Amino acid sequence: MIKVFRKSILTGLALALIVPAGMTSATSTSEPISALDVAPMDKRYEDSFTIGAAVEPYQLEGEEAEILKHHYNSIVAENVMKPINIQPEEGKFNFTEADKIVKFAKENNMDLRFHTLIWHSQVPEWFFLDKDGKPMVDETDPKKREKNKKLLLKRVEKHVKTIVQRYKDDIDSWDVVNEVIDDNPQNEKGLRESPWYLITGTDFIKVAFETARKYDKDAKLYINDYNTEVEPKRTHLYNLVKELLEQGVPIDGVGHQSHIQLGWPSIQETEDAINLFASLGLDNQITELDVSLYGWPPAPAYPTYEDIPDEVFQTQAERYDALFELYEKLDDKISNVTFWGIADNHTWLDDRAEQYNNGIGKDAPFVFDIHYNVKPAYHAIMD
């Protein structure tokens, strides 16, 4: 596809954003422009990759639904497809909320990602209790530990089988396992020592992928994680995936969550990560993109949205510009880019900002503001 020059656009954007000293984004001299009154993002990148958003079921109506239909051709559930919501009690599956998202995607001809079949968080405790209701991880008897391992793997198989059989005609991409590599590894392979791992080793990963492939021959299967751009996590994930592939585990791609910041990780690190996994013959998806205004920890944070200066949004636009320039450059290795939300009025990053700032703090990670108007970041990625 034709690659256009972006920097001249940003220069003009910067000039347009010059405001009197002390003015913030809430008092910009330009009139707000609704996300519904501008060109759709999915059309801009239709020759490169699908554009997605994470949603909650309540967002599938009203103005948010219209924005979804206008700008995105892919969606993913933010929470309602996670294990604790799908199977809160053993054998009792609850598909009510998940079905709403599936229905919306089908009605609007959208791709659908499933997030996530297996995860160490937001998973009910019953998965890890033996037949007597005792924690499996506390068992010391070798024979009982082996029985517990078999029981847990059967539970993995049933959980994955039941969900995949229900949605196999609706899902395009499955996040089969999520976040199995640790930031601060306790073992040489960098594997997260979750109950899944402590009870089964890496067999839970194999069983999850093999079961998903058994009941869905067509959709792509992904291993998903965050901080995939930085060491040592990147290498630990690469080594794990390479080892699993050599064992015949049916992994189709790597999901890079991409919960990133204005200056971290570097564009080069991001490019290296995508190329690294592509070298294994795997697809790459950007699965949970948001660009936080803050470093780590996110403090100090702006108390309210109106306190965020225009120059910060301009810096964010430059960051988004560089990211999408890279994604477009590597579009033969990337099939989907999904934002972890629709607009700045709903983001998990607000909880994080509040946590580190005594209950007061606002983040603004997306290309649409809290009123569903476009931000400089939107213009940057649209050239």
Side-chain angles (χ1 to χ4, degrees):
M1 66 181 296
I2 297 174
K3 309 292 184 181
V4 297
F5 292 101
R6 295 169 177 265
K7 296 306 174 188
S8 59
I9 299 295
L10 277 176
T11 301
L13 192 60
L15 292 173
L17 284 170
I18 295 175
V19 295
M23 283 190 124
T24 67
S25 58
T27 56
S28 175
T29 55
S30 60
E31 288 295 320
I33 303 173
S34 169
L36 293 173
D37 294 332
V38 293
M41 291 189 292
D42 60 353
K43 295 298 182 185
R44 165 65 181 83
Y45 290 97
E46 63 183 346
D47 293 332
S48 296
F49 36 73
T50 51
I51 297 289
V55 301
E56 297 286 8
Y58 78 85
Q59 297 175 304
L60 304 180
E61 56 187 32
E63 187 174 10
E64 285 172 308
E66 294 307 310
I67 292 172
L68 284 170
K69 289 184 280 188
H70 185 65
H71 282 285
Y72 306 92
N73 50 12
S74 173
I75 58 173
V76 62
E78 185 174 357
N79 286 294
V80 301
M81 293 182 179
K82 292 172 180 175
I84 199 167
N85 293 314
I86 291 283
Q87 194 183 183
E89 299 178 52
E90 187 167 14
K92 295 183 179 180
F93 288 83
N94 180 4
F95 293 108
T96 303
E97 297 303 301
D99 282 351
K100 293 177 183 178
I101 295 177
V102 173
K103 181 174 181 287
F104 184 86
K106 292 171 70 174
E107 289 177 347
N108 294 285
N109 195 31
M110 292 176 163
D111 281 1
L112 184 59
R113 303 192 76 259
F114 187 99
H115 180 78
T116 174
L117 288 169
I118 301 296
W119 190 25
H120 70 275
S121 183
Q122 288 182 254
V123 58
E125 183 184 15
W126 66 260
F127 264 105
F128 311 114
L129 300 179
D130 65 19
K131 291 184 176 180
D132 297 321
K134 298 178 181 178
M136 292 181 179
V137 294
D138 294 339
E139 184 57 66
T140 57
D141 181 80
K143 290 184 178 179
K144 289 184 178 180
R145 285 190 64 84
E146 186 61 27
K147 286 184 178 180
N148 286 342
K149 176 179 177 178
K150 291 179 179 178
L151 175 59
L152 181 53
L153 291 177
K154 283 184 178 179
R155 288 171 174 170
V156 170
E157 185 177 3
K158 181 179 180 181
H159 183 76
V160 173
K161 173 184 175 181
T162 303
I163 296 171
V164 173
Q165 281 187 319
R166 183 180 185 88
Y167 293 135
K168 62 184 176 64
D169 295 327
D170 306 310
I171 300 295
D172 299 278
S173 306
W174 297 89
D175 282 340
V176 180
V177 295
N178 191 43
E179 299 178 2
V180 298
I181 301 297
D182 205 335
D183 290 303
N184 301 294
Q186 305 301 306
N187 53 74
E188 61 180 12
K189 291 189 174 182
L191 292 159
R192 183 184 298 278
E193 296 191 0
S194 66
W196 299 112
Y197 175 76
L198 293 174
I199 299 164
T200 77
T202 58
D203 285 354
F204 77 97
I205 304 174
K206 301 175 190 175
V207 170
F209 272 96
E210 289 168 355
T211 305
R213 174 57 73 234
K214 181 178 180 180
Y215 295 100
D216 190 343
K217 307 293 186 184
D218 300 321
K220 296 293 183 68
L221 309 181
Y222 293 82
I223 185 169
N224 192 54
D225 218 318
Y226 63 93
N227 291 3
T228 56
E229 306 89 350
V230 297
E231 297 292 4
K233 194 165 188 176
R234 181 175 70 194
T235 293
H236 284 146
L237 180 60
Y238 173 83
N239 290 339
L240 172 65
V241 172
K242 186 173 184 290
E243 181 180 309
L244 292 170
L245 289 172
E246 290 170 351
Q247 295 172 12
V249 178
I251 301 174
D252 295 312
V254 172
H256 306 265
Q257 290 186 14
S258 304
H259 295 297
I260 62 177
Q261 303 162 14
L262 293 180
W264 176 93
S266 71
I267 293 298
Q268 187 62 57
E269 287 173 320
T270 304
E271 181 172 6
D272 290 346
I274 293 169
N275 284 330
L276 180 65
F277 291 101
S279 73
L280 293 174
L282 298 176
D283 181 43
N284 292 269
Q285 293 194 344
I286 311 303
T287 57
E288 305 181 24
L289 177 62
D290 45 33
V291 179
S292 173
L293 305 183
Y294 312 113
W296 184 258
Y302 298 105
T304 70
Y305 200 78
E306 289 70 24
D307 290 316
I308 304 171
D310 277 322
E311 55 265 28
V312 174
F313 287 132
Q314 174 59 26
T315 300
Q316 184 183 58
E318 293 168 358
R319 177 66 157 158
Y320 266 112
D321 177 63
L323 281 171
F324 274 78
E325 184 174 33
L326 174 65
Y327 297 158
E328 204 168 20
K329 170 186 172 183
L330 301 178
D331 61 8
D332 59 326
K333 301 167 185 174
I334 300 173
S335 63
N336 174 273
V337 176
T338 289
F339 295 88
W340 202 241
I342 303 170
D344 287 345
N345 64 331
H346 176 84
T347 170
W348 73 285
L349 292 172
D350 284 349
D351 296 334
R352 194 171 71 172
E354 292 171 1
Q355 178 184 353
Y356 285 87
N357 294 275
N358 299 317
I360 299 175
K362 185 75 181 80
D363 213 329
F366 302 123
V367 302
F368 303 129
D369 70 15
I370 58 174
H371 303 296
Y372 309 111
N373 296 317
V374 299
K375 294 166 59 181
Y378 165 83
H379 296 292
I381 69 173
M382 293 293 286
D383 305 318

